[in-house]
Amino acid sequence: MISLLGYGQTNRAFATYLHSKNVPYCVYDDHVLTPSLDANQQKWLPSKMFNPYTSSLEIVSPGIPFNHPLVMASKHLCSEYDYIQRLWQSNRKDPLPTTIFISGTNGKTTTTEMLGLLFKNAQVGGNIGTPLIQLYTQSQKKDPPYTWVLETSSFTLHYTDHLSPQTYILLPLAEDHLSWHGNYENYIAAKLKPLSLMDAHAHAFIHDSLKDHPIVQGTKAQLLFYQNSQNLAQKMGLDISKLRFKEPFLLDALLALSAAKLHTGVADYDLLNSYVIQPHRIEIFTDKEGYTWVDDSKATNVDATLKALECFQDNYIHLILGGDTKGVDLNPLFGTLSKLQAEVYVIGVSAPAIMQMAQERNIPAHLCRKIDIAVQEIRKNLRQGDVGMLSPSAASLDQFASYKHRGMAFKQCVLG
């Protein structure tokens, strides 16, 4: 019996696949209080009912932390990526698709989508859009060659021990998901883990700040270190003037273009320039009075908010902060805010702690708790030339279904 630990997007896709192959499985989930059945009429049980001795394999949802009782009790734990590798090797004679992982703290989704655009026959998925098990199913209906371009989280990397990419793009790292990983060192180690699995034919783009890390020093992969956009462009022979993107999206574009050039020998600037930055990423809009607002709901950590603030450092900023801060230290953010013309409007579960930090730094702060109240308070203070910004430095799940839901709620409040 296969056990699915957790029932998020990844394991729902696995359940669909296993059901289609008549493979029995059982779901264990913290949100289930009494035994029931899932959509495929398979057992859906409370986590406390998991018995590792009746389970032949446990596929773990990436979001479940390594110290969860389900994970600790497992005897045959397997990541989604490793299970797909097993399936491929059991059912196909041809080699695995060319596989590219994209990870980092910020910019993963944009870089992944850009690279998917640049590759012919690319299948794009992972954390975004399509789980890998669905890409595997789709690949059974296609003729090779094709490429898997996968946005890959630190959670997935932590659990993956076998599937390795031909190319690994690691965007710069900053503190994030510390409540899951325990500390920043564990987070960095998870992000670098693919290097320990890659062979001498594989390539990795790694920020220069990590060049002395033991995992980096010990890899067999061919490494290309970069310091910033200009440095990367110089090393890869790319012309920044041919790209229409500005920071922070310029680095995303250059990394995607670099990987495409590495694989194909071509840097297609025109095709890349056709890419449209997705909503909720430093998205500028105006209300009916002509005031400027910025929806940066995708900024779920301090580093992302710092990049957004840098874009508007010459304006007076009315900043909505708060949500689930994931155990990250906010002091670097408040150090920057203290040097800007800014005041904060605080929402979410972290509101009391953020208010205290603002008061300690003498930064004007408004306790709003909810996003509609924050927008109302900003309207009272907003002047021409100011910017009203949602860049919360926190995850959204304390009050919203997703960062997209939070961004849409914000724009609805502003635009009415």
Side-chain angles (χ1 to χ4, degrees):
M1 174 72 71
I2 291 180
S3 301
L4 301 181
L5 309 185
Y7 209 41
Q9 183 181 20
T10 296
N11 273 355
R12 288 180 187 273
F14 265 109
T16 299
Y17 172 80
L18 294 172
H19 179 67
S20 73
K21 300 298 182 181
N22 296 314
V23 177
Y25 67 87
C26 184
V27 178
Y28 298 92
D29 191 89
D30 287 346
H31 297 98
V32 177
L33 301 179
T34 57
S36 59
L37 299 177
D38 72 356
N40 300 317
Q41 300 303 300
Q42 299 294 309
K43 289 182 179 179
W44 194 6
L45 303 177
S47 295
K48 63 182 180 181
M49 294 185 67
F50 174 61
N51 181 353
Y53 298 101
T54 62
S55 174
S56 62
L57 185 72
E58 299 87 41
I59 301 176
V60 58
S61 290
I64 294 180
F66 59 88
N67 57 0
H68 189 284
L70 281 172
V71 175
M72 300 288 285
S74 293
K75 305 295 183 183
H76 319 93
L77 197 69
C78 186
S79 78
E80 56 169 328
Y81 281 20
D82 287 346
Y83 187 77
I84 275 93
Q85 184 182 41
R86 289 189 196 182
L87 281 178
W88 192 282
Q89 292 174 341
S90 300
N91 299 322
R92 306 257 319 217
K93 294 182 179 179
D94 53 315
L96 277 160
T98 298
T99 303
I100 301 174
F101 290 1
I102 296 94
S103 200
T105 301
N106 296 303
K108 297 185 296 294
T109 301
T110 301
T111 306
T112 301
E113 291 177 342
M114 286 176 166
L115 188 54
L117 177 66
L118 291 171
F119 268 96
K120 293 181 179 179
N121 300 321
Q123 293 179 295
V124 179
N127 287 357
I128 59 171
T130 309
L132 184 53
I133 188 64
Q134 290 180 228
L135 297 187
Y136 169 80
T137 302
Q138 294 168 12
S139 72
Q140 306 306 294
K141 304 173 184 177
K142 293 188 174 185
D143 294 325
Y146 43 83
T147 303
W148 284 345
V149 180
L150 306 175
E151 179 186 322
T152 306
S153 72
S154 58
F155 309 151
T156 296
L157 293 175
H158 172 88
Y159 286 121
T160 298
D161 295 320
H162 300 288
L163 181 65
S164 65
Q166 278 73 51
T167 298
Y168 184 35
I169 300 173
L170 183 60
L171 287 111
L173 298 184
E175 288 192 0
D176 200 11
H177 300 299
L178 300 196
S179 56
W180 196 102
H181 289 282
N183 56 54
Y184 188 40
E185 290 73 23
N186 290 343
Y187 174 71
I188 293 173
K191 291 292 192 181
L192 292 175
K193 189 175 180 182
L195 297 180
S196 65
L197 307 175
M198 295 165 72
D199 62 29
H201 300 288
H203 295 80
F205 294 86
I206 305 293
H207 192 266
D208 192 67
S209 61
L210 296 170
K211 65 182 179 182
D212 294 326
H213 193 282
I215 296 177
V216 175
Q217 290 289 309
T219 187
K220 297 177 182 177
Q222 300 178 50
L223 302 178
L224 192 148
F225 295 105
Y226 65 93
Q227 298 172 359
N228 50 41
S229 293
Q230 289 70 28
N231 175 253
L232 177 62
Q234 182 181 19
K235 287 188 174 184
M236 292 300 298
L238 300 174
D239 186 349
I240 289 178
S241 69
K242 293 183 178 180
L243 291 171
R244 66 176 184 83
F245 303 101
K246 306 298 181 185
E247 299 291 10
F249 306 112
L250 177 59
L251 180 59
D252 304 341
L254 287 166
L255 283 166
L257 201 61
S258 296
K261 183 177 180 181
L262 183 69
H263 280 264
T264 68
V266 176
D268 194 334
Y269 297 94
D270 290 339
L271 182 57
L272 183 56
N273 283 331
S274 70
Y275 177 81
V276 178
I277 301 297
Q278 298 301 302
H280 316 302
R281 296 161 173 81
I282 316 183
E283 181 184 358
I284 303 170
F285 63 102
T286 55
D287 62 19
K288 59 186 178 182
E289 285 82 27
Y291 292 112
T292 299
W293 298 80
V294 178
D295 173 11
D296 192 35
S297 183
K298 188 66 165 65
T300 59
N301 54 64
V302 168
D303 186 63
T305 297
L306 290 174
K307 287 181 170 63
L309 291 173
E310 186 176 351
C311 296
F312 301 94
Q313 58 187 328
D314 295 329
N315 302 88
Y316 193 97
I317 300 170
H318 302 266
L319 177 65
I320 300 176
L321 278 180
D324 177 7
T325 57
K326 300 173 285 185
V328 168
D329 180 14
L330 298 182
N331 277 304
L333 172 61
F334 279 91
T336 295
L337 285 171
S338 66
K339 301 172 186 176
L340 298 175
Q341 299 180 85
E343 53 192 286
V344 298
Y345 301 75
V346 188
I347 65 171
V349 68
S350 58
I354 291 177
M355 285 296 296
Q356 181 177 346
M357 294 185 75
Q359 290 164 5
E360 290 172 353
R361 297 272 190 165
N362 294 316
I363 295 169
H366 310 262
L367 181 60
C368 302
R369 297 194 183 277
K370 294 186 176 181
I371 205 163
D372 56 335
I373 297 174
V375 171
Q376 291 173 17
E377 290 301 307
I378 290 175
R379 286 194 184 282
K380 295 176 183 178
N381 302 316
L382 199 61
R383 300 162 301 197
Q384 287 296 338
D386 291 0
V387 173
M389 179 187 297
L390 170 67
S391 189
S393 282
S396 58
L397 298 182
D398 60 326
Q399 292 184 324
F400 301 94
S402 65
Y403 77 84
K404 294 179 181 178
H405 179 207
R406 178 171 61 187
M408 291 171 64
F410 168 67
K411 285 194 280 191
Q412 179 63 35
C413 291
V414 172
L415 300 175

